[in-house]
Amino acid sequence: GVSAVRALGGDGRLTAAIGPGAGGCCYRVGGEVLARFDRHPEAIARDGDGGRLDLKAIAAARLRAAGVDAVHDSEVCTICSDPGLFFSHRRDGERTGRQAGVIRRL
């Protein structure tokens, strides 16, 4: 995404926002998934055969590494937040709604 913005002429400071999503507090995965993220030990909390994975932390680190100057995280976990605020397949199962993201040039 950062490369695409730069290719379109975005040569100034970049700011990114990470919206609500499954948080590292609740996003449980198996050991085979955790193994794929070994290069991000700060985003892994292992326990037993699996653990929790913080995809937002990984996204923020990758955005910064790509040259984004400021990364803002809503710090809202859709799994453990108020069920009336956001949909969550992990929390609610298959019968849930959908969400969308937006990218905008200011």
Side-chain angles (χ1 to χ4, degrees):
V2 174
S3 296
V5 168
R6 294 292 188 208
L8 291 170
D11 58 356
R13 293 175 48 91
L14 293 179
T15 299
I18 299 173
C25 53
C26 297
Y27 191 63
R28 296 198 55 76
V29 296
E32 71 284 356
V33 174
L34 289 180
R36 299 193 73 161
F37 292 93
D38 278 343
R39 67 180 180 265
H40 298 284
E42 73 286 356
I44 295 173
R46 293 184 188 276
D47 58 39
D49 292 334
R52 292 183 321 276
L53 182 61
D54 190 346
L55 293 175
K56 292 178 170 204
I58 295 169
R62 292 187 71 183
L63 285 163
R64 288 186 190 99
V68 174
D69 300 290
V71 179
H72 303 281
D73 184 349
S74 68
E75 298 183 12
V76 175
C77 173
T78 55
I79 297 172
C80 65
S81 66
D82 178 348
L85 293 176
F86 302 102
F87 300 117
S88 172
H89 178 80
R90 287 269 175 154
R91 181 190 64 220
D92 304 329
E94 290 187 29
R95 297 192 58 115
T96 189
R98 297 292 178 256
Q99 297 167 152
V102 176
I103 298 174
R104 178 176 171 228
R105 182 177 180 183
L106 298 176

